[in-house]
Amino acid sequence: MTVLVVIFVVYNSIIYTQGTSNNTPLMSEQAIKGEKLYQENNCTACHQFYGLGGYLGPDLTNVISAKNKGAEYVKAFLNSGVKTMPKFNFTEEEKEAIAQFLTEVDQTGHYPIVEADKKASGWVDMKYKNQ
Ligand code: HEC
């Protein structure tokens, strides 16, 4: 019993005192500014990242790398007001920041995943939008 208790204590002290590896990419300062604007202006009420968010407008995960879209396209949307998207009054600098935020979001992955193939081994082979 004593041996078990000692093993338990040693094991837990190792587990709970080790730092976790952190591979999360850091956003640039400008992208953080853009994220703040994105939050303050409630873009997420209508838009999604990776399918999560409000559903009035389109998913913005890959709006930067999508064909015929990109930073200039995004900036053009912001102050014009289309359909149910309200017209904002961002400065050029703010528009740049939002575009930079969306650019860095875009770099995190692809959405939607168009095809997924489940293998007998249990692995799932995914085909991404841009493949
Ligand atoms: C009230 C809902 C609403 C809010 C809030 C809103 N949008 Fe939109 N947005 C829309 C709709 C609806 C469209 C689609 C318009 C169209 O296709 O004509 C759109 C389109 C866009 C597009 C073009 C997407 C594409 O793939 O064509 C971008 C970029 C965008 N919005 C960014 C933003 C940002 C950034 C914010 C916050 C500052 C925001 N929107 C806030 C409703 C909204």
mmCIF file of all heavy atoms in Angstrom, residues 19-52:
data_model
loop_
_atom_site.group_PDB
_atom_site.id
_atom_site.type_symbol
_atom_site.label_atom_id
_atom_site.label_comp_id
_atom_site.label_asym_id
_atom_site.label_seq_id
_atom_site.Cartn_x
_atom_site.Cartn_y
_atom_site.Cartn_z
ATOM 1 N N GLY A 19 5.155 21.829 -17.367
ATOM 2 C CA GLY A 19 4.469 22.781 -18.216
ATOM 3 C C GLY A 19 3.898 22.043 -19.418
ATOM 4 O O GLY A 19 4.401 20.990 -19.794
ATOM 5 N N THR A 20 2.843 22.591 -19.982
ATOM 6 C CA THR A 20 2.304 21.970 -21.186
ATOM 7 C C THR A 20 3.000 22.570 -22.397
ATOM 8 O O THR A 20 3.387 23.734 -22.384
ATOM 9 C CB THR A 20 0.784 22.209 -21.303
ATOM 10 O OG1 THR A 20 0.551 23.591 -21.090
ATOM 11 C CG2 THR A 20 0.019 21.390 -20.295
ATOM 12 N N SER A 21 3.160 21.757 -23.426
ATOM 13 C CA SER A 21 3.781 22.301 -24.630
ATOM 14 C C SER A 21 2.776 23.230 -25.291
ATOM 15 O O SER A 21 1.588 22.946 -25.329
ATOM 16 C CB SER A 21 4.167 21.179 -25.585
ATOM 17 O OG SER A 21 3.007 20.527 -26.025
ATOM 18 N N ASN A 22 3.243 24.328 -25.752
ATOM 19 C CA ASN A 22 2.325 25.290 -26.339
ATOM 20 C C ASN A 22 2.766 25.608 -27.766
ATOM 21 O O ASN A 22 3.682 26.388 -27.986
ATOM 22 C CB ASN A 22 2.289 26.560 -25.480
ATOM 23 C CG ASN A 22 1.225 27.510 -25.955
ATOM 24 O OD1 ASN A 22 0.576 27.259 -26.977
ATOM 25 N ND2 ASN A 22 1.027 28.602 -25.247
ATOM 26 N N ASN A 23 2.090 24.977 -28.712
ATOM 27 C CA ASN A 23 2.453 25.196 -30.112
ATOM 28 C C ASN A 23 1.507 26.153 -30.820
ATOM 29 O O ASN A 23 1.510 26.253 -32.027
ATOM 30 C CB ASN A 23 2.475 23.865 -30.861
ATOM 31 C CG ASN A 23 3.503 22.931 -30.273
ATOM 32 O OD1 ASN A 23 4.575 23.376 -29.871
ATOM 33 N ND2 ASN A 23 3.183 21.653 -30.187
ATOM 34 N N THR A 24 0.662 26.801 -30.038
ATOM 35 C CA THR A 24 -0.289 27.703 -30.654
ATOM 36 C C THR A 24 0.455 28.867 -31.314
ATOM 37 O O THR A 24 1.239 29.546 -30.663
ATOM 38 C CB THR A 24 -1.232 28.295 -29.580
ATOM 39 O OG1 THR A 24 -1.687 27.229 -28.771
ATOM 40 C CG2 THR A 24 -2.393 29.021 -30.201
ATOM 41 N N PRO A 25 0.209 29.083 -32.605
ATOM 42 C CA PRO A 25 0.894 30.197 -33.253
ATOM 43 C C PRO A 25 0.400 31.527 -32.688
ATOM 44 O O PRO A 25 -0.783 31.681 -32.398
ATOM 45 C CB PRO A 25 0.528 30.046 -34.718
ATOM 46 C CG PRO A 25 -0.664 29.173 -34.751
ATOM 47 C CD PRO A 25 -0.659 28.353 -33.515
ATOM 48 N N LEU A 26 1.295 32.451 -32.510
ATOM 49 C CA LEU A 26 0.891 33.740 -31.965
ATOM 50 C C LEU A 26 0.471 34.667 -33.091
ATOM 51 O O LEU A 26 1.054 34.649 -34.169
ATOM 52 C CB LEU A 26 2.062 34.352 -31.197
ATOM 53 C CG LEU A 26 2.505 33.544 -29.977
ATOM 54 C CD1 LEU A 26 3.738 34.181 -29.353
ATOM 55 C CD2 LEU A 26 1.384 33.461 -28.961
ATOM 56 N N MET A 27 -0.527 35.463 -32.814
ATOM 57 C CA MET A 27 -0.977 36.410 -33.823
ATOM 58 C C MET A 27 -0.128 37.669 -33.755
ATOM 59 O O MET A 27 0.395 38.026 -32.715
ATOM 60 C CB MET A 27 -2.438 36.778 -33.562
ATOM 61 C CG MET A 27 -3.414 35.712 -33.977
ATOM 62 S SD MET A 27 -5.051 36.406 -34.219
ATOM 63 C CE MET A 27 -5.472 36.895 -32.580
ATOM 64 N N SER A 28 -0.024 38.320 -34.893
ATOM 65 C CA SER A 28 0.708 39.589 -34.931
ATOM 66 C C SER A 28 -0.103 40.649 -34.193
ATOM 67 O O SER A 28 -1.298 40.485 -33.957
ATOM 68 C CB SER A 28 0.919 40.023 -36.377
ATOM 69 O OG SER A 28 -0.329 40.350 -36.958
ATOM 70 N N GLU A 29 0.562 41.728 -33.857
ATOM 71 C CA GLU A 29 -0.113 42.789 -33.115
ATOM 72 C C GLU A 29 -1.287 43.358 -33.916
ATOM 73 O O GLU A 29 -2.347 43.647 -33.384
ATOM 74 C CB GLU A 29 0.898 43.892 -32.826
ATOM 75 C CG GLU A 29 0.649 44.609 -31.521
ATOM 76 C CD GLU A 29 1.856 45.453 -31.154
ATOM 77 O OE1 GLU A 29 2.882 44.897 -30.699
ATOM 78 O OE2 GLU A 29 1.757 46.676 -31.354
ATOM 79 N N GLN A 30 -1.058 43.475 -35.214
ATOM 80 C CA GLN A 30 -2.117 44.041 -36.059
ATOM 81 C C GLN A 30 -3.334 43.109 -36.120
ATOM 82 O O GLN A 30 -4.474 43.565 -36.102
ATOM 83 C CB GLN A 30 -1.572 44.294 -37.471
ATOM 84 C CG GLN A 30 -2.403 45.318 -38.187
ATOM 85 C CD GLN A 30 -2.052 45.437 -39.645
ATOM 86 O OE1 GLN A 30 -1.420 44.555 -40.218
ATOM 87 N NE2 GLN A 30 -2.450 46.520 -40.251
ATOM 88 N N ALA A 31 -3.050 41.806 -36.167
ATOM 89 C CA ALA A 31 -4.157 40.848 -36.210
ATOM 90 C C ALA A 31 -4.945 40.879 -34.905
ATOM 91 O O ALA A 31 -6.169 40.724 -34.905
ATOM 92 C CB ALA A 31 -3.628 39.449 -36.472
ATOM 93 N N ILE A 32 -4.256 41.108 -33.810
ATOM 94 C CA ILE A 32 -4.946 41.190 -32.518
ATOM 95 C C ILE A 32 -5.866 42.405 -32.491
ATOM 96 O O ILE A 32 -6.992 42.354 -32.010
ATOM 97 C CB ILE A 32 -3.928 41.229 -31.352
ATOM 98 C CG1 ILE A 32 -3.225 39.865 -31.265
ATOM 99 C CG2 ILE A 32 -4.604 41.565 -30.039
ATOM 100 C CD1 ILE A 32 -2.048 39.814 -30.328
ATOM 101 N N LYS A 33 -5.379 43.507 -33.078
ATOM 102 C CA LYS A 33 -6.220 44.695 -33.213
ATOM 103 C C LYS A 33 -7.470 44.355 -34.031
ATOM 104 O O LYS A 33 -8.583 44.743 -33.704
ATOM 105 C CB LYS A 33 -5.428 45.795 -33.916
ATOM 106 C CG LYS A 33 -5.167 47.004 -33.033
ATOM 107 C CD LYS A 33 -4.499 48.099 -33.838
ATOM 108 C CE LYS A 33 -3.062 48.307 -33.400
ATOM 109 N NZ LYS A 33 -2.288 49.106 -34.365
ATOM 110 N N GLY A 34 -7.243 43.620 -35.112
ATOM 111 C CA GLY A 34 -8.350 43.217 -35.982
ATOM 112 C C GLY A 34 -9.321 42.309 -35.259
ATOM 113 O O GLY A 34 -10.539 42.435 -35.425
ATOM 114 N N GLU A 35 -8.792 41.421 -34.448
ATOM 115 C CA GLU A 35 -9.657 40.506 -33.708
ATOM 116 C C GLU A 35 -10.542 41.289 -32.746
ATOM 117 O O GLU A 35 -11.724 41.000 -32.576
ATOM 118 C CB GLU A 35 -8.821 39.491 -32.927
ATOM 119 C CG GLU A 35 -9.686 38.498 -32.166
ATOM 120 C CD GLU A 35 -8.874 37.525 -31.330
ATOM 121 O OE1 GLU A 35 -7.763 37.890 -30.888
ATOM 122 O OE2 GLU A 35 -9.352 36.399 -31.127
ATOM 123 N N LYS A 36 -9.939 42.312 -32.136
ATOM 124 C CA LYS A 36 -10.687 43.135 -31.182
ATOM 125 C C LYS A 36 -11.850 43.843 -31.904
ATOM 126 O O LYS A 36 -12.968 43.882 -31.414
ATOM 127 C CB LYS A 36 -9.739 44.153 -30.565
ATOM 128 C CG LYS A 36 -10.079 44.433 -29.146
ATOM 129 C CD LYS A 36 -8.948 45.088 -28.391
ATOM 130 C CE LYS A 36 -9.527 45.670 -27.119
ATOM 131 N NZ LYS A 36 -9.248 47.084 -26.940
ATOM 132 N N LEU A 37 -11.548 44.364 -33.089
ATOM 133 C CA LEU A 37 -12.594 45.026 -33.868
ATOM 134 C C LEU A 37 -13.676 44.020 -34.262
ATOM 135 O O LEU A 37 -14.862 44.333 -34.270
ATOM 136 C CB LEU A 37 -11.990 45.663 -35.134
ATOM 137 C CG LEU A 37 -11.114 46.881 -34.897
ATOM 138 C CD1 LEU A 37 -10.303 47.210 -36.132
ATOM 139 C CD2 LEU A 37 -11.982 48.075 -34.498
ATOM 140 N N TYR A 38 -13.232 42.823 -34.589
ATOM 141 C CA TYR A 38 -14.161 41.760 -34.970
ATOM 142 C C TYR A 38 -15.114 41.450 -33.816
ATOM 143 O O TYR A 38 -16.306 41.256 -34.012
ATOM 144 C CB TYR A 38 -13.349 40.509 -35.357
ATOM 145 C CG TYR A 38 -14.145 39.417 -36.030
ATOM 146 C CD1 TYR A 38 -14.275 39.380 -37.423
ATOM 147 C CD2 TYR A 38 -14.751 38.416 -35.284
ATOM 148 C CE1 TYR A 38 -14.990 38.375 -38.044
ATOM 149 C CE2 TYR A 38 -15.470 37.404 -35.908
ATOM 150 C CZ TYR A 38 -15.590 37.385 -37.281
ATOM 151 O OH TYR A 38 -16.305 36.383 -37.896
ATOM 152 N N GLN A 39 -14.547 41.439 -32.604
ATOM 153 C CA GLN A 39 -15.366 41.147 -31.424
ATOM 154 C C GLN A 39 -16.264 42.324 -31.071
ATOM 155 O O GLN A 39 -17.461 42.168 -30.827
ATOM 156 C CB GLN A 39 -14.474 40.793 -30.238
ATOM 157 C CG GLN A 39 -13.790 39.454 -30.420
ATOM 158 C CD GLN A 39 -12.702 39.206 -29.389
ATOM 159 O OE1 GLN A 39 -12.240 40.119 -28.712
ATOM 160 N NE2 GLN A 39 -12.281 37.953 -29.278
ATOM 161 N N GLU A 40 -15.681 43.526 -31.049
ATOM 162 C CA GLU A 40 -16.441 44.702 -30.636
ATOM 163 C C GLU A 40 -17.614 44.987 -31.576
ATOM 164 O O GLU A 40 -18.632 45.504 -31.153
ATOM 165 C CB GLU A 40 -15.523 45.935 -30.593
ATOM 166 C CG GLU A 40 -14.604 45.940 -29.399
ATOM 167 C CD GLU A 40 -13.500 46.980 -29.523
ATOM 168 O OE1 GLU A 40 -13.427 47.678 -30.558
ATOM 169 O OE2 GLU A 40 -12.709 47.079 -28.579
ATOM 170 N N ASN A 41 -17.414 44.648 -32.857
ATOM 171 C CA ASN A 41 -18.478 44.939 -33.813
ATOM 172 C C ASN A 41 -19.388 43.746 -34.075
ATOM 173 O O ASN A 41 -20.214 43.768 -34.970
ATOM 174 C CB ASN A 41 -17.881 45.453 -35.122
ATOM 175 C CG ASN A 41 -17.291 46.827 -34.939
ATOM 176 O OD1 ASN A 41 -18.009 47.813 -34.869
ATOM 177 N ND2 ASN A 41 -15.968 46.884 -34.817
ATOM 178 N N ASN A 42 -19.177 42.715 -33.262
ATOM 179 C CA ASN A 42 -20.080 41.568 -33.272
ATOM 180 C C ASN A 42 -20.203 40.883 -34.630
ATOM 181 O O ASN A 42 -21.282 40.452 -35.011
ATOM 182 C CB ASN A 42 -21.472 42.033 -32.811
ATOM 183 C CG ASN A 42 -22.017 41.113 -31.763
ATOM 184 O OD1 ASN A 42 -21.434 40.045 -31.507
ATOM 185 N ND2 ASN A 42 -23.133 41.484 -31.172
ATOM 186 N N CYS A 43 -19.123 40.809 -35.356
ATOM 187 C CA CYS A 43 -19.145 40.140 -36.656
ATOM 188 C C CYS A 43 -19.604 38.697 -36.493
ATOM 189 O O CYS A 43 -20.251 38.127 -37.367
ATOM 190 C CB CYS A 43 -17.760 40.142 -37.299
ATOM 191 S SG CYS A 43 -16.947 41.747 -37.320
ATOM 192 N N THR A 44 -19.260 38.131 -35.356
ATOM 193 C CA THR A 44 -19.565 36.717 -35.135
ATOM 194 C C THR A 44 -21.065 36.456 -34.970
ATOM 195 O O THR A 44 -21.502 35.313 -35.029
ATOM 196 C CB THR A 44 -18.748 36.191 -33.928
ATOM 197 O OG1 THR A 44 -18.736 34.785 -33.965
ATOM 198 C CG2 THR A 44 -19.331 36.650 -32.608
ATOM 199 N N ALA A 45 -21.837 37.517 -34.780
ATOM 200 C CA ALA A 45 -23.286 37.336 -34.707
ATOM 201 C C ALA A 45 -23.814 36.821 -36.044
ATOM 202 O O ALA A 45 -24.840 36.149 -36.101
ATOM 203 C CB ALA A 45 -23.964 38.648 -34.339
ATOM 204 N N CYS A 46 -23.112 37.152 -37.126
ATOM 205 C CA CYS A 46 -23.582 36.759 -38.456
ATOM 206 C C CYS A 46 -22.597 35.842 -39.188
ATOM 207 O O CYS A 46 -22.969 35.191 -40.154
ATOM 208 C CB CYS A 46 -23.802 37.972 -39.333
ATOM 209 S SG CYS A 46 -25.030 39.126 -38.685
ATOM 210 N N HIS A 47 -21.342 35.852 -38.784
ATOM 211 C CA HIS A 47 -20.319 35.082 -39.508
ATOM 212 C C HIS A 47 -19.750 33.959 -38.658
ATOM 213 O O HIS A 47 -19.772 34.028 -37.427
ATOM 214 C CB HIS A 47 -19.172 36.002 -39.938
ATOM 215 C CG HIS A 47 -19.589 36.982 -40.991
ATOM 216 N ND1 HIS A 47 -19.756 36.621 -42.296
ATOM 217 C CD2 HIS A 47 -19.873 38.309 -40.907
ATOM 218 C CE1 HIS A 47 -20.127 37.691 -42.988
ATOM 219 N NE2 HIS A 47 -20.206 38.721 -42.167
ATOM 220 N N GLN A 48 -19.171 32.959 -39.316
ATOM 221 C CA GLN A 48 -18.589 31.821 -38.603
ATOM 222 C C GLN A 48 -17.111 31.660 -38.934
ATOM 223 O O GLN A 48 -16.647 32.079 -39.978
ATOM 224 C CB GLN A 48 -19.280 30.503 -39.015
ATOM 225 C CG GLN A 48 -20.786 30.542 -39.065
ATOM 226 C CD GLN A 48 -21.274 30.851 -40.474
ATOM 227 O OE1 GLN A 48 -20.931 30.159 -41.419
ATOM 228 N NE2 GLN A 48 -22.068 31.895 -40.613
ATOM 229 N N PHE A 49 -16.395 31.046 -37.994
ATOM 230 C CA PHE A 49 -15.065 30.475 -38.234
ATOM 231 C C PHE A 49 -15.228 28.985 -37.991
ATOM 232 O O PHE A 49 -15.783 28.586 -36.968
ATOM 233 C CB PHE A 49 -14.021 31.029 -37.267
ATOM 234 C CG PHE A 49 -13.629 32.456 -37.547
ATOM 235 C CD1 PHE A 49 -13.553 33.380 -36.520
ATOM 236 C CD2 PHE A 49 -13.337 32.867 -38.842
ATOM 237 C CE1 PHE A 49 -13.185 34.692 -36.784
ATOM 238 C CE2 PHE A 49 -12.975 34.177 -39.103
ATOM 239 C CZ PHE A 49 -12.902 35.094 -38.076
ATOM 240 N N TYR A 50 -14.757 28.193 -38.915
ATOM 241 C CA TYR A 50 -14.890 26.738 -38.813
ATOM 242 C C TYR A 50 -16.331 26.322 -38.507
ATOM 243 O O TYR A 50 -16.580 25.427 -37.719
ATOM 244 C CB TYR A 50 -13.923 26.182 -37.760
ATOM 245 C CG TYR A 50 -12.485 26.275 -38.206
ATOM 246 C CD1 TYR A 50 -11.658 27.268 -37.709
ATOM 247 C CD2 TYR A 50 -11.980 25.396 -39.156
ATOM 248 C CE1 TYR A 50 -10.343 27.381 -38.145
ATOM 249 C CE2 TYR A 50 -10.670 25.493 -39.597
ATOM 250 C CZ TYR A 50 -9.861 26.483 -39.086
ATOM 251 O OH TYR A 50 -8.575 26.589 -39.522
ATOM 252 N N GLY A 51 -17.248 27.032 -39.121
ATOM 253 C CA GLY A 51 -18.652 26.655 -38.995
ATOM 254 C C GLY A 51 -19.335 27.135 -37.726
ATOM 255 O O GLY A 51 -20.521 26.892 -37.540
ATOM 256 N N LEU A 52 -18.610 27.813 -36.854
ATOM 257 C CA LEU A 52 -19.217 28.249 -35.593
ATOM 258 C C LEU A 52 -19.446 29.749 -35.582
ATOM 259 O O LEU A 52 -18.535 30.532 -35.863
ATOM 260 C CB LEU A 52 -18.324 27.858 -34.411
ATOM 261 C CG LEU A 52 -18.135 26.357 -34.208
ATOM 262 C CD1 LEU A 52 -17.154 26.099 -33.077
ATOM 263 C CD2 LEU A 52 -19.461 25.679 -33.915
#
